[in-house]
Amino acid sequence: MGTFIRDEDFIQSIADAVQFISYYHPADYLAQLARAYEREESAAARDAIAQILTNSRLCAQGHRPICQDTGMVNVFLRVGMNVRFEGGRSVQALCDEGVRRGYLDADNPLRASMVGDPLFARSNTRDNTPAMVSVELVPGDVLEVDVAAKGAGSENKARLAMLNPGESLVDWVLRTVPELGAGWCPPGMLGIGVGGTAEKAMLLAKQSLMQPIDMHELRERGPRDRLEALRIDLCEKVNALGIGAQGLGGLTTVLDVKIATFGTHAASKPVALIPNCAATRHVHFVLDGSGVAALDPPPLSAWPDVHWAPDAARARRVDLDRLTRAEVAGWKAGETLLLSGRLLTGRDAAHARLCELLRSGAPLPVDLDGRVMYYVGPVTAVRDEAVGPAGPTTATRMDVFTEPLLAATGLLAMVGKAERGPEAIAAIRKHGAAYLVAVGGAAYLVSRAIRSARVLAFEDLGMEAIHEFEVRDMPVTVAVDAGGASIHESGPREWKARIGTVRRESIPIRPQS
Ligand code: SF4
């Protein structure tokens, strides 16, 4: 007979899953992040983790997205060989229908980030399709499903290398992770795939991220085999790099390292690395033909008693409506600011248009003189929100626009996430500007500092249009000051030196009982 799965049950389960993971962190992520918060000694990193934890609780309570990048949907299916679908539509079409339904939910609309044609038009499909679907046929009578939403900031940091068999995985990982910068919004986890072919290694790395985060428990009980010992070793060595939360320097960069392996050619050693960010979002469910999947939210006790709030005693308050270049010159890399007043927004598409107008000698639609620009593409607002979750996007993509904009407009500062490249830092120093970072993965918390929003230009760009936000006590850290000092360079350097060489006693491998 076998198990019969109705299309509607499957589609609704996917739709429910994408909604569920948009506002609930997995409980294991919360538990490990709470431990990282307790032991963190870097004030900047601890503050960032406090924002991520507070944001997480607010999202769970408000059923609003953890991050403004609500991600690209990955669906992993383990289809029992006795399972039958209705058969009228492909599995890809069913998954896409579920994604469409979930992302267009009127109560909690999620940001559609997918473009259909990746090479030329790159126009938004407006419903976040297509999903990335992987299917495995296995013995059995049920359909096992993992649904994950992966932000571009962390997905863009995926790396693959075809090592020689004698080369060290550990050395490769320790060379690779510092090169990723902070755009993947640590603290998160690393998924590592080793073996198979190039594409198999990448799939293994991504699938490994669906496993529960259990590094603390693993350390407590000790490794049972060489793979577990390797995970502990890698986790400690990556954390000893000192990168820390948001790349600000600190004790915890990764909460866990997962490794999945597969047989490979005697002459090959493919290794793949995919980081998962502060917005770690995935859920597992099983369909047995009895209806739509039931998803259990984490209990309220899963969130630690951490409640971030603006602290004027530790931060400098900044009035954006009266900001001067002399005041910007007084900010120091690593300092915390609370921004209030009018803040402009703009990201990739708006920057491209502004620079095109400058090149052609045409006037800009917005006067940037004396202003601060936030790199953001918020989620659509619902109910009484001024704006939906509105965390920072990766600033590195704006590096090429920085010199022309600073040179021509009198823009004073920019807000984004992750490090700036040498070209942008040189422009910031030359023009006495500054670059500030907000916490990636704290988007709903940030949006609560935004009291009103209106579109000023390029309305056709949707979430990429230039808006003006009225903000109150929006928390940011000075990442590059007017002298060109960068917290993303000095922070990890300082914390790497403080952590010192890892001299862990080798942990004995305990045989399985
Ligand atoms: S936490 Fe950072 S990397 Fe993750 S989805 Fe959000 S912005 Fe992207």
Side-chain angles (χ1 to χ4, degrees):
M1 282 289 291
T3 302
F4 180 72
I5 307 277
R6 292 176 58 236
D7 284 357
E8 177 56 25
D9 292 342
F10 182 64
I11 290 168
Q12 191 58 47
S13 299
I14 300 281
D16 290 349
V18 298
Q19 276 289 314
F20 183 91
I21 59 177
S22 79
Y23 44 74
Y24 289 131
H25 265 130
D28 53 276
Y29 179 84
L30 292 169
Q32 302 285 345
L33 191 61
R35 282 195 187 95
Y37 174 77
E38 288 305 325
R39 67 184 287 271
E40 187 55 72
E41 293 171 22
S42 154
R46 192 172 153 89
D47 188 73
I49 296 174
Q51 289 192 42
I52 294 166
L53 286 168
T54 305
N55 180 71
S56 176
R57 179 193 289 269
L58 292 172
C59 294
Q61 289 167 337
H63 285 197
R64 293 294 276 142
I66 293 166
C67 189
Q68 79 289 339
D69 184 350
T70 50
M72 182 158 37
V73 178
N74 290 240
V75 183
F76 296 99
L77 301 172
R78 285 168 56 82
V79 187
M81 287 159 96
N82 295 326
V83 167
R84 273 194 313 119
F85 289 85
E86 280 181 31
R89 285 188 273 179
S90 68
V91 169
Q92 178 74 50
L94 296 175
C95 290
D96 285 349
E97 184 58 33
V99 168
R100 186 172 296 120
R101 195 179 287 183
Y103 273 70
L104 299 180
D105 186 294
D107 263 354
N108 179 35
L110 306 180
R111 200 185 81 183
S113 304
M114 300 295 289
V115 299
D117 168 6
L119 265 184
F120 304 110
R122 291 194 66 90
S123 48
N124 196 300
T125 58
R126 303 198 171 276
D127 56 13
N128 218 51
T129 63
M132 306 299 128
V133 182
S134 305
V135 180
E136 202 181 338
L137 273 178
V138 296
D141 302 313
V142 296
L143 171 62
E144 280 194 64
V145 187
D146 281 290
V147 176
K150 194 70 165 47
S154 56
E155 189 69 7
N156 288 350
K157 303 297 181 181
R159 296 290 184 269
L160 170 76
M162 304 303 281
L163 298 185
N164 288 320
E167 287 183 275
S168 157
L169 170 69
V170 175
D171 289 352
W172 178 74
V173 171
L174 295 179
R175 268 199 318 274
T176 302
V177 172
E179 292 168 3
L180 304 182
W184 61 281
C185 296
M189 60 198 286
L190 298 181
I192 295 175
V194 185
T197 51
E199 82 283 5
K200 180 75 178 178
M202 291 304 280
L203 187 61
L204 290 170
K206 179 61 74 66
Q207 282 174 319
S208 75
L209 294 172
M210 303 302 118
Q211 297 168 20
I213 300 177
D214 62 353
M215 183 51 68
H216 175 75
E217 294 73 15
L218 173 55
R219 275 210 193 94
E220 294 274 293
R221 71 163 162 79
R224 292 192 181 124
D225 55 33
R226 292 178 68 185
L227 202 60
E228 290 188 343
L230 180 60
R231 282 180 52 208
I232 295 174
D233 189 40
L234 267 173
C235 193
E236 293 193 351
K237 286 178 173 163
V238 169
N239 283 332
L241 294 170
I243 295 166
Q246 305 289 304
L248 298 169
L251 296 179
T252 301
T253 305
V254 290
L255 303 173
D256 202 344
V257 175
K258 298 294 181 191
I259 307 175
T261 64
F262 200 78
T264 190
H265 193 287
S268 297
K269 188 155 141 190
V271 293
L273 182 151
I274 305 182
N276 217 359
C277 60
T280 283
R281 296 167 288 203
H282 58 92
V283 69
H284 176 84
F285 60 87
V286 176
L287 295 181
D288 59 6
S290 62
V292 177
L295 307 172
D296 293 326
L300 253 187
S301 59
W303 282 269
D305 202 15
V306 176
H307 306 269
W308 183 92
D311 180 0
R314 283 200 329 101
R316 185 199 290 246
R317 280 212 152 98
V318 172
D319 181 349
L320 294 171
D321 298 331
R322 290 181 182 75
L323 187 59
T324 63
R325 200 165 293 280
E327 187 179 347
V328 171
W331 298 345
K332 290 287 163 243
E335 194 178 351
T336 309
L337 310 179
L338 293 171
L339 307 181
S340 296
R342 291 171 305 132
L343 179 66
L344 295 175
T345 76
R347 43 174 284 169
D348 311 53
H351 275 74
R353 281 199 193 172
L354 289 171
C355 286
E356 189 49 47
L357 290 170
L358 286 175
R359 261 193 300 275
S360 65
L364 299 186
V366 181
D367 184 3
L368 304 185
D369 192 22
R371 305 298 300 268
V372 177
M373 181 172 272
Y374 183 24
Y375 303 150
V376 64
V379 176
T380 306
V382 295
R383 297 177 279 283
D384 60 348
E385 293 173 350
V387 67
T393 196
T394 304
T396 327
R397 297 196 312 274
M398 260 53 76
D399 280 3
V400 293
F401 305 114
T402 302
E403 167 59 29
L405 274 189
L406 292 182
T409 65
L411 185 69
L412 285 179
M414 301 139 284
V415 185
K417 75 172 170 87
E419 69 287 344
R420 305 306 298 258
E423 180 191 4
I425 291 177
I428 289 165
R429 187 174 49 230
K430 179 174 158 194
H431 299 287
Y435 165 60
L436 318 171
V437 286
V439 174
Y444 192 41
L445 179 69
V446 172
S447 73
R448 291 164 74 106
I450 302 168
R451 303 305 161 93
S452 68
R454 66 187 179 115
V455 175
L456 292 191
F458 308 148
E459 189 159 11
D460 59 301
L461 294 179
M463 59 104 173
E464 293 214 38
I466 295 182
H467 292 71
E468 185 174 72
F469 289 168
E470 182 78 34
V471 299
R472 177 146 187 87
D473 285 341
M474 175 177 161
V476 293
T477 301
V478 181
V480 180
D481 64 27
S486 164
I487 188 70
H488 290 106
E489 287 168 15
S490 59
R493 191 171 56 237
E494 178 194 335
W495 283 89
K496 185 178 180 182
R498 286 172 76 156
I499 295 166
T501 313
V502 184
R503 280 190 297 269
R504 177 175 56 75
E505 300 295 317
S506 67
I507 297 179
I509 297 171
R510 294 185 192 152
Q512 272 177 302
S513 50

